[in-house]
Amino acid sequence: MAPHHVLKCCQRSLAWIPVIFINLVVGWSYYAYVVELCIFTIPNNAEKISYLVVFHLFFIMFIWSYWKTICSRPASPSKEFCLAKVEKEQYEKEQPDAQQNILKKAAVGLPVYTRTGTGAVRYCDHCQVIKPDRCHHCSTCDMCVLKMDHHCPWVNNCVGFSNYKFFVLFLAYSMLYCVFIAATVLQYFIKFWTNQLPDTHAKFHVLFLFFVAAMFFISILSLFSYHLWLVGKNRTTIEAFRAPVFRNGPDKNGFSLGFSRNVVEVFGDQKKYWMFPIYTSHGDGHSFVTRLLTLDPEQIAVGLQINGKSSVDGLASPKHVLGNNINHIEGHQDDVAQMVTVTMESES
């Protein structure tokens, strides 16, 4: 029987087959469009140049976003989500009920608000970390991935917090790449099909190029539309199928802040960078703004300690924010343990 590490190596090598296939198809499409269509088939120089300019614009953006998605390493939980050595040793010795008590104490100082379906603290026994909100373990990557969306075989990578923007742009530019090819090839496809152009070596490439571009466009369009819907709702693919569970129960819209803020969370504040595969997403992947929180006294104490406040004044309006300020809480001490709703812009 082959050693485990040999099987792992073979598995990782085979995982690159879909990526190699995509790159071969893209390489052939580049040759077929630039050489066979533009150089050998299109007679008009002005049409030829205009096609080549736009084609290369889409091609560069498509390849750039595709390889950014592939090369961006999935973000994993930081060390603060790991149990201390003493806690870990104690955890391994205890029964499930006692283990949960250990996890609850360890999670008090962490921005963790989601739970398992049974209300337990989410813990990965394989990675030995308390899972941050929206974090899941990927068996293919063999690691916990922050804001995991899914594992995509076409990029041989997990799509999550570190590369979700790149993935959405990859879908957008691949769709534009395909629709531009199909639209500009169509008239020459018809001419070859109806024998208005002579049978040359370009005929096969032009005919096949149209079919491939149209087929990929249709398949990518549905996936791109689905992920635009997810962005607008601030959900991952996992959350779309299984609503995240908060202290007050499952809430499929728990992370939704309204359409515009949901888009900004993925693409950033500066719209001039939205169309480029440059990292501009909000946050650190460990904590997320939520619409509804049920805060217990320990969480309140942690929030006040982080913000350096010994007392609170004014109306009750707790808000979970990103960055170093994990919980910003302003409200009466008598009301802090109650469930509070953060006012967000209404969703359509």
Side-chain angles (χ1 to χ4, degrees):
M1 188 174 183
H4 178 71
H5 69 276
V6 175
L7 293 176
K8 268 290 189 187
C9 185
C10 292
Q11 184 181 9
R12 290 176 180 174
S13 299
L14 292 173
W16 284 101
I17 291 177
V19 177
I20 294 172
F21 172 75
I22 290 294
N23 280 274
L24 289 175
V25 172
V26 172
W28 167 79
S29 69
Y30 183 89
Y31 166 79
Y33 192 90
V34 173
V35 179
E36 299 293 346
L37 178 70
C38 292
I39 295 178
F40 292 142
T41 304
I42 300 177
N44 187 289
N45 287 331
E47 181 184 6
K48 185 185 302 184
I49 293 173
S50 62
Y51 282 4
L52 286 173
V53 169
V54 179
F55 171 83
H56 280 93
L57 178 63
F58 287 142
F59 178 78
I60 291 171
M61 298 304 294
F62 165 44
I63 294 298
W64 185 9
S65 57
Y66 180 54
W67 280 99
K68 283 286 285 187
T69 308
I70 293 174
C71 297
S72 297
R73 178 174 173 78
S76 57
S78 61
K79 292 182 179 179
E80 65 180 357
F81 288 85
C82 298
L83 295 178
K85 185 177 180 181
V86 175
E87 293 174 326
K88 190 180 296 183
E89 291 175 352
Q90 186 180 359
Y91 176 86
E92 293 171 351
K93 297 176 183 177
E94 298 292 347
Q95 297 298 316
D97 290 341
Q99 288 179 335
Q100 269 302 303
N101 291 330
I102 295 171
L103 293 179
K104 286 179 181 179
K105 291 179 181 178
V108 167
L110 298 174
V112 176
Y113 298 98
T114 54
R115 295 290 185 264
T116 65
T118 59
V121 175
R122 299 168 65 242
Y123 182 76
C124 179
D125 289 305
H126 187 80
C127 298
Q128 296 185 325
V129 295
I130 295 174
K131 294 180 182 179
D133 294 344
R134 316 183 84 174
C135 175
H136 298 274
H137 184 84
C138 176
S139 58
T140 306
C141 294
D142 197 29
M143 63 183 292
C144 283
V145 179
L146 296 181
K147 196 186 176 184
M148 179 178 174
D149 188 89
H150 68 288
H151 184 90
C152 180
W154 300 108
V155 299
N156 191 27
N157 200 1
C158 251
V159 177
F161 178 77
S162 63
N163 62 355
Y164 187 65
K165 176 190 174 182
F166 307 148
F167 177 75
V168 174
L169 289 179
F170 154 61
L171 294 179
Y173 286 121
S174 59
M175 188 181 66
L176 291 173
Y177 179 76
C178 290
V179 74
F180 177 77
I181 289 176
T184 53
V185 166
L186 179 59
Q187 60 172 315
Y188 298 99
F189 170 85
I190 295 173
K191 289 179 180 180
F192 274 121
W193 190 266
T194 57
N195 295 320
Q196 297 179 40
L197 289 174
D199 288 342
T200 62
H201 53 79
K203 181 176 181 178
F204 166 79
H205 292 283
V206 172
L207 293 178
F208 199 57
L209 184 61
F210 176 80
F211 281 120
V212 171
M215 179 185 67
F216 273 93
F217 168 72
I218 293 171
S219 61
I220 295 171
L221 176 61
S222 59
L223 185 60
F224 177 65
S225 301
Y226 176 66
H227 278 279
L228 282 185
W229 179 79
L230 289 178
V231 170
K233 294 291 185 180
N234 201 345
R235 297 179 198 168
T236 63
T237 299
I238 295 174
E239 292 165 355
F241 286 95
R242 184 173 67 249
V245 179
F246 294 87
R247 292 178 183 272
N248 56 306
D251 185 357
K252 64 180 181 180
N253 294 316
F255 295 107
S256 182
L257 311 172
F259 179 78
S260 60
R261 290 191 63 183
N262 291 343
V263 173
V264 166
E265 187 166 299
V266 174
F267 289 93
D269 292 313
Q270 296 182 292
K271 294 182 179 180
K272 61 183 178 180
Y273 295 124
W274 282 12
M275 305 308 293
F276 297 96
I278 301 170
Y279 184 82
T280 55
S281 301
H282 275 190
D284 58 4
H286 292 89
S287 58
F288 297 90
V289 180
T290 57
R291 296 199 317 165
L292 191 64
L293 292 177
T294 302
L295 302 177
D296 56 32
E298 285 105 347
Q299 288 176 307
I300 297 299
V302 172
L304 295 176
Q305 184 178 4
I306 291 174
N307 287 276
K309 296 183 180 181
S310 57
S311 61
V312 288
D313 300 306
L315 297 175
S317 58
K319 184 177 180 182
H320 181 198
V321 298
L322 298 172
N324 294 326
N325 296 326
I326 304 301
N327 293 308
H328 177 69
I329 302 173
E330 295 178 354
H332 293 296
Q333 287 179 327
D334 295 336
D335 300 330
V336 293
Q338 297 179 358
M339 183 187 303
V340 293
T341 302
V342 180
T343 302
M344 300 296 177
E345 59 183 280
S346 61
E347 295 184 70
S348 57

